[in-house]
Amino acid sequence: MILNQKILAAIFGDASEFCGKEDVLHALIYYHIVQSGVPSTQVAREHSIANKKIDLVVFDRSINGQFNGTNIKPKCFIEVKGGAYGNRNALADEISFDGYCTDMDKLKQEAKDGIEAWFICVDMPELGRALSPCLVQKVHNQCRIRNISFAYYCQGENYFYYAPLTNTQSNEKVSLSSSNSNLDMRKIFNPNNSHFNKMVSTLRKVNGHEANTTAALYELFRNSGLGTKQISLETYFSFAKKSGSTMHDRPDLVLFDEHFDGLFNLYKNGNRNMSNDAHKLKYIKSIIEVKGSNAMNSLGVKARMNKYVADIEKLHNWQSMAKSKGCDNLPACFFCLDGHRTPLPRSRLQQMIDQSAGNQLVYISHNGIELTGF
């Protein structure tokens, strides 16, 4: 079994430390699966199969990171529900009164074929608890009739609900652990950092969704000493709403200092009159934009450059917005994994360096690594 009691206990222990988007849950599940001994080149994020995207899938060793378009059947499918959705608890939006969630049907056929399939829920009472014990049992029943294993954890509790398909449900102890570290990007993005070198080696083998690159970065930061409360994905800030749109400009990764409390969500207690912006800006240390996926690898130099430059400009724009809110000198980094057969010409790379204008740049290709601004 890929997800056992020990791994889930560690996952939920981490999940107890933050309130934020579901993407953070995906990244820490990825992290703990890899920590258990499964190579990163076997764990795919946002994997497309039969016209549907699965949050996480785990393959055997024959895949070696070549996730895009593979015909190899995964060993395990994982769908996750939970996290902050604006001012709401995502579980409240996604789980119906009878315990049903549409994402269960993504797993139904795979579970029917005998593949390990998990539906995992994390409840965040900061935004109002979504599932009562009775409703948790109804979710379990919906999973059981689809041959899906189920686990549920409500933050602040010492036990999680554990219902693997092969066993009866039980309440298991959460493994609480905390790690927080001073953030020094010069030491993390550094060829002398063995964790950085391992990540680079792994990413050069991976051909899949960009979420794989982001998950690998999350793993790097955790392995380099940062704690769960310090790393957020797709973080919302009220001031960063796009002009003429209800959408927000969200950095792919936001890193906070060791004193932050893990409240990545947009509003304190889900109250729209209590923005968390000032609280997060007080502790923010860096923002990161990421490019690196099979979709990018299929583009020519000009098309790739257009997307790279757009992300670099997004960082400058975000820094400007943050500065208007009193956050001066916010470091930013553009992390670029270029898996194209032909890396960028030196002149194009220099263009990226120039346009970064002092911001940090990490460019990884099959030919080497370029680090600037550190």
Side-chain angles (χ1 to χ4, degrees):
M1 184 178 289
I2 299 296
L3 285 186
N4 55 35
Q5 279 175 243
K6 182 178 180 181
I7 295 174
L8 284 166
I11 288 169
F12 293 140
D14 274 358
S16 70
E17 293 203 314
F18 77 93
C19 182
K21 283 198 80 225
E22 185 182 293
D23 303 65
V24 189
L25 292 171
H26 298 172
L28 68 86
I29 292 171
Y30 171 100
Y31 169 74
H32 282 291
I33 291 174
V34 172
Q35 289 293 107
S36 74
V38 178
S40 304
T41 49
Q42 291 177 219
V43 188
R45 284 275 294 105
E46 296 292 337
H47 183 70
S48 295
I49 187 167
N51 297 317
K52 57 191 176 186
K53 277 189 178 177
I54 308 295
D55 291 333
L56 296 104
V57 299
V58 182
F59 292 89
D60 64 22
R61 289 183 179 274
S62 62
I63 191 76
N64 201 30
Q66 297 302 298
F67 304 130
N68 184 48
T70 183
N71 291 319
I72 298 173
K73 270 284 190 182
K75 295 169 61 179
C76 179
F77 290 78
I78 304 167
E79 276 293 305
V80 184
K81 274 289 164 279
Y85 184 65
N87 65 320
R88 304 187 302 281
N89 184 333
L91 283 184
D93 287 355
E94 300 291 341
I95 305 294
S96 64
F97 70 94
D98 60 354
Y100 172 74
C101 175
T102 56
D103 281 3
M104 294 174 180
D105 291 332
K106 291 185 183 181
L107 305 172
K108 185 177 179 180
Q109 184 57 51
E110 282 67 35
K112 183 180 178 182
D113 293 340
I115 300 173
E116 182 180 347
W118 282 89
F119 185 65
I120 296 176
C121 295
V122 175
D123 217 334
M124 296 188 174
E126 162 85 9
L127 305 172
R129 183 167 184 163
L131 304 190
S132 65
C134 178
L135 190 49
V136 169
Q137 187 60 55
K138 289 181 178 180
V139 176
H140 179 200
N141 292 339
Q142 292 283 1
C143 288
R144 186 169 53 190
I145 62 177
R146 293 170 176 81
N147 297 311
I148 300 168
S149 296
F150 171 59
Y152 165 85
Y153 175 63
C154 181
Q155 291 177 328
E157 297 187 345
N158 293 324
Y159 293 87
F160 65 94
Y161 187 88
Y162 177 66
L165 190 64
T166 55
N167 211 336
T168 57
Q169 71 270 22
S170 61
N171 292 306
E172 303 296 337
K173 185 76 173 175
V174 172
S175 293
L176 296 173
S177 63
S178 183
S179 174
N180 295 282
S181 175
N182 287 317
L183 176 63
D184 189 340
M185 297 288 273
R186 294 169 300 178
K187 292 182 179 179
I188 296 176
F189 288 136
N190 191 313
N192 293 321
N193 180 3
S194 61
H195 299 301
F196 176 73
N197 292 330
K198 180 182 176 183
M199 181 199 67
V200 170
S201 177
T202 295
L203 286 178
R204 283 174 171 158
K205 299 173 185 175
V206 172
N207 185 24
H209 196 278
E210 189 168 279
N212 294 297
T213 306
T214 307
L217 280 166
Y218 181 92
E219 180 191 4
L220 169 66
F221 292 131
R222 290 295 303 275
N223 286 339
S224 298
L226 273 65
T228 313
K229 296 177 182 179
Q230 293 180 263
I231 317 167
S232 181
L233 283 69
E234 295 289 334
T235 314
Y236 282 93
F237 287 78
S238 298
F239 64 78
K241 187 172 289 187
K242 293 181 179 179
S243 178
S245 171
T246 59
M247 297 298 292
H248 292 67
D249 232 349
R250 306 187 303 273
D252 290 329
L253 282 155
V254 178
L255 304 180
F256 296 90
D257 75 18
E258 67 274 19
H259 303 295
F260 191 59
D261 58 9
L263 292 182
F264 307 137
N265 50 312
L266 190 53
Y267 303 107
K268 186 172 177 59
N269 296 319
N271 184 341
R272 285 182 176 271
N273 296 317
M274 300 176 67
S275 170
N276 266 344
D277 285 359
H279 176 62
K280 287 185 284 189
L281 287 176
K282 180 180 177 181
Y283 297 97
I284 196 169
K285 295 294 288 185
S286 185
I287 56 174
I288 303 173
E289 279 299 301
V290 179
K291 274 289 176 285
S293 66
N294 65 284
M296 289 296 298
N297 295 343
S298 66
L299 301 177
V301 170
K302 183 177 180 180
R304 281 169 23 232
M305 279 298 298
N306 287 340
K307 292 184 178 294
Y308 295 160
V309 169
D311 266 10
I312 291 170
E313 290 305 312
K314 176 182 173 181
L315 289 173
H316 287 308
N317 182 55
W318 214 96
Q319 287 172 305
S320 177
M321 288 189 292
K323 186 173 183 178
S324 72
K325 298 298 179 180
C327 182
D328 294 324
N329 303 316
L330 173 63
C333 177
F334 178 53
F335 183 93
C336 178
L337 172 69
D338 190 352
H340 200 275
R341 290 188 300 273
T342 306
L344 292 175
R346 183 67 210 184
S347 61
R348 294 290 196 167
L349 183 55
Q350 188 60 51
Q351 180 185 345
M352 287 171 58
I353 294 171
D354 293 343
Q355 290 185 298
S356 292
N359 279 339
Q360 297 161 343
L361 172 70
V362 180
Y363 175 77
I364 299 170
S365 71
H366 293 292
N367 282 10
I369 303 168
E370 185 83 21
L371 299 169
T372 65
F374 290 90

